[in-house]
Each structure stands twice: as C-alpha cells, then as structure tokens.
Amino acid sequence: MGETEFKLEEATTSEVHGDRKGGMYCTVSRIVMSLLTVTVLIAATAVLVYYLPTRPVDQVATKPSIVNYPTAADDITPTGRLTTSAESPGNTTTTDLTTTAQQPQPTGAPVTLAPPDDIMKGRLSKTVLPRRYELTLRPFLYDDDVPDSKLGQRFTFDGWVRIKVECMEATDEITLHSKNITIHGMPTVHSVSTLDNTDIFESYKMIEEYSFLVLKLKEMLRPHEGYDIFIRYSGIMATDILLGFYPSKYITSQNETRYIATTQMEGPYARRVLPCFDEPTFKASYDVQLEHRTDMSALSNGIDIRRIQLDSHWSRTYFKRVPSMPTYLLAFVVHDFSSINVTNAHGCLIRIWCETELTDYASYALNVSESIQTYFDDYLDNEFPLDKQDHIAIQEFFFGAMENWGLITYRDITLLYDEAMYGSGRYVALMITHELAHMWFGNLVTMDWWNDLWLNEGFATYMQHIGIDLVLPELKISEQFYANRVSFALYVDGTGVYPSLREPVYATEGDILGQFNGITYEKGGSILWMLEHFLTLDVFNQGIRNYLKERAYKNANAEHLWEELTYADKDVGKHDVKRIMDTWTLQPGYPLITLTRTGQDIVATQKRFMFNFNANRSTEFDDLGHRWYVPLTYVYKSGPSDQFDKPEQVWMEPADQYSYIKLPDEAASDDWYLANAKMVGFYRVNYEDDNWQRLLDQAAVDPSVFPEETKVGLIDLTHYLSIAEVIPRYIYQNFSTYFGPSSPSTRRAVVATSSYFAKMLLRNDTGRSQPASPVQNYMQQLIEPLYAESGWDDSFTPDIQRQRRNKHQFDVTSAACFHSNIHCVDKASSLVKAYMDEEKPITVSPNLRSVVYCNGIRFGGRPEWNYGWEMMQTTTDRQERARWMSALTCSRDSSLLKSYLQTVLEQGLGLDLHRGEAALILIGVAENPAGYQVAWDFIRSNWEGTYELLKGNREISISDVFGEVTSFFNTQEELQELLDFGSSHRLGVLKYAYQAAIIETEVNIRWMVNSAQQTDQWIASIV
C-alpha cells in the first residue's frame, strides 16, 4: 500500500472537464435524461410514502438502526411473547406467568454499526497475506557478546526473516510494519510460484507515522501466487520499556546480576522485533530458530527439536513449527533458568521455568496448570494442539502475565508460590486459569481487530470461575461472580464515560492499549455470564464448542460468536442472540430497570443508569435511546421453593416503553417480589417504596430466605442506588444491618460498601485522633467479627504484591489495622520493633510481612521509618525490597511521603528501580489518606515523567494511580483542580479515567452536601 492511499488529492478543473474552461455544458440528450431521472425519483418516493407506516415524530431515528426491531409482521399471538399495539396499549409487551415465553426471533438481515470514515487509517491492506514466517534472532546480553553484534553494542539483536506471502490482488507494493529496526543491505522479493528466480524488489521507504515499511517492486504481483520476502536486520532491545524484545534483569540470592532476553508483543510491539504484518487478522505459521550463548538456553512457542553448537560462544536452537497465529503471540526467551515438568493425560508436556534457586516454589503452578489445561481440553471438547505448554516466571515483567501460545510469560510473583508459607493459592490459580483460557480464546481463535478484544479477555475472565471451581472448590468462586466481577463492571460503566465493548479502535498505540480496561475484561466477562444464564449452560457450552471448532486457526468477531450461539439454541430457546447482544456490545452503559406493582400486575421500564444522571452523555446511540433487550428474571415471596435456581423470566425490548409481568393469583397482595434473582443480569433494579419495605421486612425477619449471592447483591445494589440518589440511603443501611451478620461474605460486602462513606468522612483523619471518631468506631465494629475469625491467619492474608493484583480478595488483617483496631495495631507495631532488635531477630511469615511492615511504619515514628528505609536499600531479596518500598508509603507523615516520592522517583537514589517498583511506590502514596494530596501534587508537577513511567503498565496503570488519588476528592476546589489539569495536560490513555474522575468527584460533592450529615448521625446512633 502506497502513501497515496492515505490522502485524497482534489482533481483539477481540467482533469474533470477536459479542455472546457468553466460554465455548464448541457446537450439535448442530457436534458432529456435528467428529466426522466427526476420523474422516476418522484414516482418512487410516492410509492414509499404510501406503503411505509406512519411513525411518531419522537421515534425518528437519527442514525441507521443497529438492531432489527420487530415489526407488526413479527408480532406473535397473545399466547406468545409479543403482542400487537392493538392488543397492548402503548405497543408494550405483556407476558403471562403461566405461559412459556418465546424469545426474540430473527427479523431479516443483521444490521451492523458503520465505522468512522477514517477508521482504516494506518491499517494494512489485504492485497498480500502472510502464510509463514521463518525467523532467526541472536540477542547480545553481555559485554563479551558485543564483538559479534552488527550494531556493535550490548542489548541489541541481529536477525533475518523470510516471509512467505500470497498475493490476493495485483499490486506492485508490499506494506509491512517495522519500528526501530535497522535493515542491512536490501530486502529481496522472489516468486515461488514460477521457475523464474528473479529478484523483483526495487526500493523501500518508511512511513514513520504508521510504522510502515513499504517495499516497491519492479513488477506487479499476480493474484493467488506465492512470493518470498527476505530481510536482514538488527534492532535495539528496549531497556526503558519492557516491550518488544527486551533484556530482563534478575538478581540471585548471592547478589549477582544476570540477564535473560524475553518478549512482550501485545499490543502493537512485534514490529519492534521483526518486519511483519503486525495486526491480529494476519495469522501465519512460524518457524523459529534462536542463536544464543552456549551457556544459555532458548524457548519459543513451539517445542525445541534440535540444538547445535555454532562455535565456542554461540549455539542455535530450532523449534517446531507453530500453526496459524498472529504476531502478538510470537514469543521467545533466552535464559539460564531451570524447570520442573509433567506430561498430562493428553500427552502435552507442561513445564514451569524459573530461576534455578526458586524451583521449590514452582510445584503449585505445575499442579494447577496440569489440572486446568487437561480439564479445559475436555470441557471445551477441543484439545490444546501444541506439543508443550511452557510457563515462565520473569522478574522484570510489565504485566501479570501474557498468553503467548505455548509459552506463557508471567511476572514471577504471579506464578511462583510457596504453599507451606502462603496458604491458599487463589491468586496464582486465577492467573494461570485466565492465561490458559486464552489458549482457546485468543490463540486458537483470534479476534479480527482490537475492537473485539473482549472476545479474548471477556472469555478468559468468564472461564476463571470454571477453572477455580475445579482446583479450589472450597472457595465457591461461582457464587462470588457478582461480587468479584459484575459489581466492578457495573461501577465503571455507571460513570457514563467509558465506550462500548465494541467501540471502533484506531490503529494507534494509544487506542490499542486503551482497550485493556475494566470494560473489556469485567463487562466482557459479565455479559457472557448473563448470556450463559438466559441461554442455559448446556446451550451456551454447545455454542462455544461450535464456535471454537468453526473458527479454529482463524479470526473471529462477535458476529461469528452470535451465529454459533443462535444455532445451538435453534431448537431450545430460539433466541436471536445477535439482536439481543448487539444492544449490550455496541452501545455503552446498561439499564436501570424500574418496577412498579399494582395488584397482580408489575410494570417495568428501563433507562440508562448513571451515577450522575445530569451529566452530559454521548448522543451516538440516540436512535436506540440507550435501551436494551433485558432478560428480566424474578421471584416472589410465595413462589416455588426452587425459584431462585429456576426464576421466571420475561424479555424487555428496546422499542417498548413499558413491559409487564403478571403475578399468579396465589401471589398475595403483600408479597415481596425480587428481580435479577441471583444477580446474574448486567443491570440494576429499583422498586416502588412498598416493595422495598417488604424486602426489608423479610430481611429483618428471616434473611436466610435469600441466597448468598442475592444478599451480597442487595447490599451492593442499594449502596450504589443511594449514591446515585435513586433511593434513600436508609434502604441500604437497613439491608447492611439485617444481612451483614449472616455470613463472612455479607460482612465483607458491608465493609466494602461502608468504605466509601468512611473515605469521604475520614479522608483527612490519619488515625491519630483520640478518641476515635464514630465512623472509625463503626468500621472497627464491622471488621471485628471477621478479624476475630481470620485475622493474622496466613491463609486469609495475601502478600501485598499479590493483594494489589487481586483486589477481590478481602484482606481482613490489613483492614483491621487500617481502621486502628487496637489489637492489630499493637501486634504489628511490636513485631516491627522486634525486627529492629538485632540481638533478638524474629521471623514473620512472608504472607504477613507486608501487613507488619506497613502498619509498623504507619503507627510508628522516625525510627521505624528509618529502619524501613535502610532495609529497602540494603536487602538483596527482591520481594523483601518490594515489601519495604510499599510499607514506606503507609506513613501518616505527609512530609515524609513527599520526600520519599521526590527522592526515589525523581532522583532514583541508585536503587535501579524498574517500572513496576516505581508504580508500586506511587500508587501506595496515592491510596494513603495522608498521601493522596502528595501524590496529586507530584503527578501535576511531574506529569510527563509519570505518564511515561506508567504508560503501558497493565498491572498498575496511570489510570489506576489517577483513580486512587481522585477517589478522595469531594470539594469544589478539587473539582476545579481536576478541570484545570485536563485543560493543560496531554491525557493520552488517561482520557476515560480523567472523565470518570470528574463524574466521581461531582458525585462525591453531591453526597457530601446531601448525605454526609445524615450518615454521620446514623452512625453515631448505632455505635
């Protein structure tokens, strides 16, 4: 593709009109043809006006409809799901409880969302497709490697690539991606379909804006013929960002610094490693060979099949060909690690690689990965196709893990695990399960483009509960799906600023990285959870298996998934899955369902939920009015005993102003009713006041009527509805009082939701005030039963780094200390003082050290701070250094925190921080009530450096840090600071987090004005 394809040049007047110099020129024949054309158009318009039905003015679509709505011809008899407008006033849907509701039916060809006109800017043409890469690379990691480097320096690599391509359309150019790569000599291009071996390469040029390498050819390529592209090149191993092909440093227990070479190709980073077609849709097979120091070894996606020694310094390892996959899954590691392994029941070799001295911590990961992979083989009816699956633990790694096919890379702490010391391996198991799910969802079947990234990440999120239920059934993780996944997704999407799941994505690094967000992961998983429940698990699983078989080794988009699920359901529920799910994936947000009962009839309406309903929202989907197909489930007080497992369901439709539920005659007039029975739907529900009161009465008398998921869900739901000022706060307060004591999960839900108003009311209280405030006492009372049950228990206390990456695991001990529980504070303080006594050294379980260090410093003074500072600088244990780094951010002295940020992040102090450690420090200060202002000042005065430091880091992103800082904001002055910040700084990937922060600050201000005093008084009355 040439440069001319990226701009349109206006034709000159002479090109359009030949030699005529302006004016209008009409012949008699042209006049006659024009008159005939006008006559035909008038007649056609008259016919359309006559036959098209009249449409009310307020229903005029501003854009082509995204969803095919049912017409009068689609309406079904009164025994079915739909009725005509004559049968139901207002064109509404009436559902009789005693009939089996039919589901949305197909109504013609699917309608798709038109992308923006310039969405293909920067995308590759499909005139030439890659079929196979042959790749050789040699990294130079140490000084004694450099003499062989073509660039003559350390941390570079040399290589060559041969790309076998097929021409699809005649062209005399081939466009690939290439970034920061030095080409040696000239590329060559040869035909492999003819005996003519002539090199047809002519010249090349770079288009830096799009990282394009354009090869100009001497002749046109012929369609459906094969060609070879050959390029010798060198590249720089990135030392400033852990992306592309980069050196990863690790330090041994003997304080020896060593290096490995590893990769991170997702998102658009393969182009930094080799010239290639660096878009997901360009799948190809790979033959890889790596040249490396003889005292090191190599891994790639395929299993190693041969190793030869080239000379006394270099060896070459060959790998088995890997079938069709995109460039972002290509991976290789040159290392000096060791492994443990097992071959599973299906003959796949599974290996865990790590530093040699850490192999004792690899057995848990090996057991989990073997169990999960074997189980997924059977569960998905699709065996993992490669000969081996490697998992490798890397110290310097930006993300939690990366799902490279056959070679999953992890940050070491997310893979290695000491069962004897750390208790439950929930977080490690979750991480492994997520990455293994990608072997099918993302690797075997790959999204067409980044706008369908949710097909990868949403499925991996959804599959986590299936895998964990197998290896840790005692956790009952499926019962926690709402609390762990749906609640967070509803919160994020409720700000009203994030795009839809399938928002168009441009071919820029910022747009691609922006897709790795909570909407993609959590909302993606949540709507699949909802989809599974309204289709039934059997239908859903059959559709998924069909999808994997049909699209294996190919690309897919959501349309392919909808097609297979609709087909699987054709003889069961007969749902038109595309028509339903387009409303959940092509528009942002979700509905608030409002239910009102009169007699035996319940009327349901929907509108988009927003925490701030007065905020400006996108008008992009105003033709739909932000409306959805809603699978509305419900139960009622006198319903069957199994109704929570088999709830009744009706469908709400986007085109309907009202939908109806008719309760049976045996339902008493004072029966409560409850929608979204087990919280599996991705929506919120509100009721008339009488029904809220009946639900509260039931909770007060016998909360056991409600399943655990429902109790947790009602606590969470009413909290957020009250924050949005949809319902009065007393409803939440009463549910938390009635449900809270019933189980650990409900107590955790009350603590989690109460933390919001505790933050608002205590944001400037660093725990020094004596006596403690009523709010602090209230929080202590909530936490006390949990603390008495599991405080200081290794099994319930995640180490700080795992905790930060596993936000769903509630840390009772840290919460108790944070809210100044006397026993917790005294114990942490005494343990740190014992640590400081060199004559009587003590040992604390690694799982408890973060809690001890943090709170010893929080409630200590200068001696504790200085001790922590010294330990951070002198320890040779990397995990210990990270613990002390985090602990120092816990100080209640804002001057110390300011000095800490400036000294460590601005000056470095010779600590040789990698980005993950720097991010750990910054977010620790941001989370601290005594530090959020310090972090905010630091970010504003060091914005460019902070942005570059955290850009691309998915574990602790710039959005995470920004969100933590601004979560404390609740004054007009702080809102103005936010607005000023946005007007004077480049936001980049922070765009949505910034907009969300404005909404959240506005909501916090409103809460302080309207609810703070009432909440304070309520707390004072019960403590």
Side-chain angles (χ1 to χ4, degrees):
M1 181 185 295
E3 283 182 291
T4 55
E5 294 195 64
F6 302 107
K7 60 181 180 179
L8 297 176
E9 296 182 359
E10 294 184 3
T12 63
T13 303
S14 60
E15 288 172 330
V16 175
H17 299 294
D19 293 327
R20 299 181 179 183
K21 308 297 183 183
M24 289 186 66
Y25 297 88
C26 294
T27 64
V28 173
S29 62
R30 285 184 179 177
I31 295 173
V32 170
M33 288 301 297
S34 298
L35 289 173
L36 284 173
T37 300
V38 171
T39 302
V40 170
L41 289 174
I42 292 172
T45 302
V47 171
L48 286 171
V49 170
Y50 181 80
Y51 283 105
L52 283 177
T54 302
R55 186 177 185 178
V57 174
D58 62 358
Q59 292 183 16
V60 174
T62 59
K63 292 186 179 180
S65 177
I66 296 172
V67 177
N68 290 319
Y69 299 121
T71 64
D74 299 311
D75 290 345
I76 304 171
T77 62
T79 58
R81 186 177 54 83
L82 299 176
T83 62
T84 64
S85 56
E87 294 165 326
S88 180
N91 191 28
T92 59
T93 299
T94 303
T95 304
D96 192 305
L97 193 67
T98 60
T99 63
T100 301
Q102 299 185 37
Q103 311 303 341
Q105 303 296 313
T107 57
V111 179
T112 57
L113 182 65
D117 293 338
D118 61 345
I119 194 65
M120 295 304 291
K121 192 175 182 180
R123 295 280 297 275
L124 294 177
S125 163
K126 292 188 177 181
T127 55
V128 175
L129 300 180
R131 298 307 184 196
R132 185 165 80 248
Y133 291 85
E134 296 174 5
L135 176 67
T136 296
L137 288 178
R138 175 186 287 188
F140 304 99
L141 293 171
Y142 294 96
D143 289 337
D144 60 344
D145 299 338
V146 172
D148 293 321
S149 166
K150 285 189 171 73
L151 297 180
Q153 62 188 71
R154 191 178 175 187
F155 299 142
T156 63
F157 59 91
D158 294 340
W160 60 259
V161 63
R162 174 176 286 109
I163 312 174
K164 297 183 179 296
V165 301
E166 180 182 357
C167 175
M168 308 308 292
E169 297 178 25
T171 180
D172 62 353
E173 286 184 345
I174 302 174
T175 303
L176 313 113
H177 286 109
S178 180
K179 186 177 180 68
N180 300 336
I181 281 176
T182 300
I183 295 176
H184 299 301
M186 287 295 169
T188 63
V189 180
H190 294 89
S191 171
V192 297
S193 299
T194 67
L195 296 177
D196 184 4
N197 198 34
T198 304
D199 181 7
I200 59 175
F201 170 81
E202 181 174 282
S203 62
Y204 73 86
K205 63 180 176 181
M206 294 296 304
I207 302 178
E208 300 293 343
E209 182 181 1
Y210 307 117
S211 301
F212 280 174
L213 168 62
V214 183
L215 307 181
K216 180 67 176 176
L217 307 177
K218 298 175 184 176
E219 62 184 50
M220 299 292 285
L221 301 182
R222 293 176 292 277
H224 309 299
E225 290 194 7
Y227 297 85
D228 272 0
I229 305 167
F230 183 84
I231 304 173
R232 290 190 181 275
Y233 64 96
S234 297
I236 303 294
M237 300 183 75
T239 55
D240 56 336
I241 53 174
L242 309 181
L243 300 169
F245 197 20
Y246 69 92
S248 177
K249 178 181 64 179
Y250 74 94
I251 301 172
T252 68
S253 58
Q254 287 74 42
N255 206 27
E256 179 185 359
T257 299
R258 295 182 182 176
Y259 290 89
I260 66 171
T262 187
T263 54
Q264 173 60 45
M265 308 291 200
E266 190 186 36
Y269 300 119
R271 63 193 66 178
R272 296 169 180 255
V273 184
L274 72 158
C276 59
F277 296 80
D278 196 15
E279 294 180 10
T281 193
F282 292 96
K283 299 182 80 168
S285 60
Y286 292 81
D287 290 329
V288 174
Q289 50 193 43
L290 296 176
E291 295 180 357
H292 50 86
R293 296 168 58 97
T294 298
D295 59 358
M296 300 183 78
S297 299
L299 298 170
S300 189
N301 304 84
I303 194 167
D304 49 304
I305 53 177
R306 185 162 58 109
R307 172 173 172 156
I308 63 173
Q309 187 162 333
L310 301 175
D311 56 35
S312 60
H313 193 78
W314 297 103
S315 293
R316 181 188 297 145
T317 299
Y318 298 80
F319 300 92
K320 187 173 181 179
R321 180 178 298 169
V322 176
S324 178
M325 71 176 186
T327 49
Y328 79 80
L329 293 176
L330 180 62
F332 19 86
V333 181
V334 173
H335 65 91
D336 53 4
F337 288 179
S338 297
S339 69
I340 61 174
N341 67 80
V342 66
T343 299
N344 75 357
H346 299 150
C348 181
L349 175 65
I350 299 170
R351 300 183 291 198
I352 310 295
W353 294 88
C354 61
E355 300 162 35
T356 300
E357 58 193 29
L358 299 179
T359 53
D360 288 345
Y361 304 140
S363 58
Y364 182 80
L366 184 65
N367 293 335
V368 169
S369 57
E370 180 197 6
S371 298
I372 297 295
Q373 183 174 320
T374 306
Y375 181 64
F376 281 176
D377 281 348
D378 297 330
Y379 188 86
L380 298 170
D381 191 25
N382 200 309
E383 282 191 22
F384 179 72
L386 305 185
D387 296 297
K388 60 89 177 176
Q389 177 64 72
D390 286 324
H391 306 253
I392 186 167
I394 299 168
Q395 274 197 21
E396 290 188 325
F397 192 73
F398 237 11
F399 314 126
M402 175 61 208
E403 66 269 17
N404 313 299
W405 213 6
L407 177 54
I408 304 175
T409 45
Y410 299 79
R411 190 171 183 190
D412 55 359
I413 198 168
T414 67
L415 182 66
L416 304 180
Y417 188 75
D418 186 344
E419 295 176 79
M421 288 187 176
Y422 290 106
S424 168
R426 167 179 169 149
Y427 178 68
V428 173
L430 277 168
M431 183 64 73
I432 292 172
T433 303
H434 185 98
E435 301 311 316
L436 284 175
H438 277 308
M439 299 304 106
W440 290 266
F441 301 101
N443 299 8
L444 182 67
V445 180
T446 306
M447 76 275 181
D448 274 334
W449 181 243
W450 300 103
N451 65 314
D452 269 318
L453 179 64
W454 77 276
L455 289 176
N456 292 17
E457 301 300 347
F459 262 113
T461 300
Y462 166 83
M463 292 294 291
Q464 280 180 299
H465 80 278
I466 296 171
I468 297 301
D469 278 346
L470 172 73
V471 294
L472 293 170
E474 67 277 8
L475 295 180
K476 299 181 179 179
I477 201 77
S478 291
E479 294 182 6
Q480 302 169 40
F481 198 92
Y482 176 84
N484 290 349
R485 301 295 178 191
V486 181
S487 175
F488 176 74
L490 289 170
Y491 173 78
V492 172
D493 217 13
T495 61
V497 303
Y498 286 91
S500 67
L501 272 174
R502 303 189 67 198
E503 184 81 358
V505 177
Y506 288 84
T508 65
E509 182 178 356
D511 240 32
I512 292 170
L513 289 181
Q515 287 299 101
F516 294 90
N517 57 46
I519 295 295
T520 298
Y521 286 73
E522 310 298 348
K523 183 177 180 178
S526 297
I527 67 164
L528 290 171
W529 179 249
M530 177 175 69
L531 186 56
E532 173 219 299
H533 280 82
F534 76 70
L535 288 177
T536 74
L537 182 59
D538 288 343
V539 169
F540 182 78
N541 282 346
Q542 186 57 55
I544 296 309
R545 290 165 186 155
N546 293 345
Y547 166 76
L548 292 174
K549 286 182 171 65
E550 179 65 26
R551 306 306 302 175
Y553 305 105
K554 302 175 187 175
N555 291 90
N557 56 42
E559 313 302 322
H560 297 114
L561 177 62
W562 307 152
E563 181 182 356
E564 296 302 333
L565 290 170
T566 299
Y567 181 79
D569 194 44
K570 65 184 176 64
D571 295 324
V572 185
K574 299 180 175 61
H575 297 83
D576 181 356
V577 177
K578 172 183 166 51
R579 189 168 63 159
I580 295 167
M581 296 308 295
D582 274 356
T583 65
W584 297 95
T585 59
L586 294 179
Q587 60 180 341
Y590 57 87
L592 170 65
I593 308 302
T594 300
L595 300 170
T596 306
R597 180 181 178 183
T598 303
Q600 302 302 96
D601 296 319
I602 300 172
V603 178
T605 62
Q606 61 167 297
K607 69 175 180 178
R608 184 181 180 184
F609 177 85
M610 304 272 279
F611 281 110
N612 185 355
F613 285 96
N614 295 321
N616 292 328
R617 63 172 175 82
S618 167
T619 59
E620 182 176 0
F621 294 93
D622 273 359
D623 55 328
L624 281 179
H626 290 277
R627 300 175 70 82
W628 292 261
Y629 281 101
V630 181
L632 185 65
T633 60
Y634 64 94
V635 296
Y636 53 98
K637 182 177 181 179
S638 56
S641 59
D642 63 348
Q643 63 176 340
F644 278 96
D645 293 320
K646 299 177 182 179
E648 299 288 351
Q649 177 180 293
V650 298
W651 280 96
M652 299 182 67
E653 302 228 3
D656 294 341
Q657 184 177 0
Y658 303 102
S659 297
Y660 296 107
I661 297 171
K662 187 170 183 61
L663 295 174
D665 293 339
E666 59 267 23
S669 59
D670 61 351
D671 268 7
W672 53 260
Y673 64 95
L674 180 71
N676 202 9
K678 277 195 170 182
M679 316 305 291
V680 299
F682 194 72
Y683 50 86
R684 299 193 193 275
V685 181
N686 184 28
Y687 308 96
E688 79 277 12
D689 291 344
D690 286 346
N691 194 60
W692 276 123
Q693 189 57 53
R694 290 173 187 137
L695 288 168
L696 286 172
D697 292 343
Q698 180 65 68
V701 174
D702 183 11
S704 65
V705 166
F706 303 105
E708 200 71 8
E709 306 96 309
T710 303
K711 288 185 285 188
V712 170
L714 280 170
I715 293 169
D716 186 79
L717 168 68
T718 53
H719 166 68
Y720 285 117
L721 289 182
S722 68
I723 295 297
E725 297 195 340
V726 173
I727 62 172
R729 190 154 187 84
Y730 80 87
I731 297 177
Y732 158 75
Q733 292 166 347
N734 286 340
F735 272 126
S736 64
T737 300
Y738 301 148
F739 285 152
S742 64
S743 71
S745 61
T746 54
R747 285 198 290 271
R748 287 193 291 268
V750 174
V751 172
T753 50
S754 299
S755 294
Y756 170 77
F757 59 78
K759 175 179 279 191
M760 292 295 97
L761 297 173
L762 296 175
R763 69 177 195 148
N764 297 316
D765 184 347
T766 61
R768 296 175 185 268
S769 57
Q770 294 295 331
S773 69
V775 176
Q776 194 72 281
N777 286 332
Y778 174 70
M779 295 303 295
Q780 290 178 18
Q781 287 181 13
L782 291 179
I783 296 168
E784 177 58 35
L786 293 167
Y787 179 72
E789 179 182 84
S790 57
W792 298 100
D793 185 333
D794 289 11
S795 301
F796 292 90
T797 309
D799 189 37
I800 187 68
Q801 296 182 70
R802 288 190 173 89
Q803 177 191 1
R804 191 168 306 285
R805 293 168 180 80
N806 189 24
K807 298 176 181 178
H808 310 307
Q809 185 170 352
F810 181 71
D811 178 3
V812 172
T813 310
S814 290
C817 282
F818 181 82
H819 289 290
S820 303
N821 176 282
I822 294 175
H823 179 272
C824 189
V825 171
D826 287 348
K827 183 163 184 174
S829 300
S830 63
L831 286 171
V832 164
K833 291 184 184 299
Y835 249 95
M836 296 168 64
D837 186 351
E838 296 181 0
E839 296 181 1
K840 300 177 182 178
I842 65 165
T843 300
V844 175
S845 164
N847 232 28
L848 296 172
R849 289 178 191 172
S850 293
V851 176
V852 170
Y853 301 168
C854 172
N855 290 287
I857 288 174
R858 174 179 284 133
F859 296 100
R862 279 279 182 171
E864 287 78 9
W865 167 272
N866 292 337
Y867 179 77
W869 178 260
E870 180 184 357
M871 291 298 293
M872 181 191 69
Q873 291 182 282
T874 59
T875 182
T876 59
D877 184 319
R878 192 181 63 84
Q879 294 192 29
E880 275 292 277
R881 183 169 86 152
R883 293 185 186 107
W884 286 112
M885 280 181 178
S886 290
L888 290 170
T889 69
C890 297
S891 173
R892 297 180 296 180
D893 187 333
S894 59
S895 63
L896 278 177
L897 295 174
K898 181 178 180 180
S899 174
Y900 184 33
L901 283 184
Q902 291 175 338
T903 302
V904 176
L905 296 186
E906 289 183 358
Q907 302 173 22
L909 201 67
L911 288 175
D912 193 19
L913 295 178
H914 63 68
R915 292 180 176 223
E917 291 176 325
L920 202 62
I921 293 171
L922 188 53
I923 200 167
V925 175
E927 292 172 334
N928 187 342
Y932 77 90
Q933 187 63 51
V934 173
W936 178 229
D937 292 341
F938 181 86
I939 288 171
R940 286 185 292 173
S941 60
N942 298 274
W943 173 242
E944 291 299 325
T946 303
Y947 184 88
E948 290 302 316
L949 177 73
L950 298 178
K951 184 178 70 174
N953 190 342
R954 294 182 212 161
E955 285 302 286
I956 301 175
S957 69
I958 185 65
S959 297
D960 293 332
V961 173
F962 197 82
E964 288 294 345
V965 168
T966 57
S967 68
F968 288 92
F969 289 4
N970 61 14
T971 68
Q972 289 291 345
E973 292 77 14
E974 287 165 329
L975 176 60
Q976 189 59 53
E977 288 178 1
L978 255 182
L979 296 172
D980 293 343
F981 176 85
S983 65
S984 59
H985 291 85
R986 172 179 65 97
L987 297 177
V989 296
L990 188 67
K991 176 178 66 174
Y992 294 123
Y994 171 74
Q995 294 171 358
I998 292 174
I999 296 295
E1000 289 164 354
T1001 301
E1002 291 172 344
V1003 170
N1004 293 346
I1005 292 170
R1006 184 181 66 192
W1007 189 89
M1008 292 297 295
V1009 171
N1010 297 341
S1011 301
Q1013 184 177 2
Q1014 184 269 340
T1015 301
D1016 228 352
Q1017 292 171 349
W1018 172 71
I1019 291 172
S1021 71
I1022 61 175
V1023 295

